[in-house]
Amino acid sequence: MTTLPVRDAELLLAEYTAGTWEPTGEERALAESLALSALSPSSFRAGLREGPPGRLTTALAPVTAAMETTAVTPSTEDLRPVRQLLDALAPAL
């Protein structure tokens, strides 16, 4: 099983849940866009490239790089923390 660098996503979700971090509207829009995507390396890279600078982009950048070098599918268990973060932040989901 591949281990992606998801610790930043887990920490950011914990901060969001605890109320110590609040995403901007642009970060929420990015989360929604990524949550609705196929979670492929190319869709992540494109989303982050056009997304706003901030903690969400910073947390997801290492995951994107790792996805490009490993065999990750959208259903890969390693992506669960990322999916949980995106789902929690996405306003329409």
Side-chain angles (χ1 to χ4, degrees), residues 19-39:
T20 58
W21 173 72
E22 184 65 31
T24 65
E26 292 85 7
E27 286 175 313
R28 286 186 181 277
L30 173 61
E32 181 176 8
S33 174
L34 292 174
L36 294 172
S37 75
L39 290 186

Side-chain angles (χ1 to χ4, degrees), residues 28-93:
R28 286 186 181 277
L30 173 61
E32 181 176 8
S33 174
L34 292 174
L36 294 172
S37 75
L39 290 186
S40 69
S42 60
S43 66
F44 248 62
R45 180 147 320 276
L48 293 178
R49 185 180 314 117
E50 297 181 17
R55 296 210 44 217
L56 180 61
T57 302
T58 300
L60 296 178
V63 175
T64 306
M67 286 171 59
E68 291 179 331
T69 61
T70 60
V72 175
T73 65
S75 63
T76 301
E77 185 67 18
D78 293 342
L79 289 177
R80 186 166 32 114
V82 173
R83 283 196 171 281
Q84 289 171 333
L85 174 63
L86 296 176
D87 289 347
L89 301 182
L93 301 178

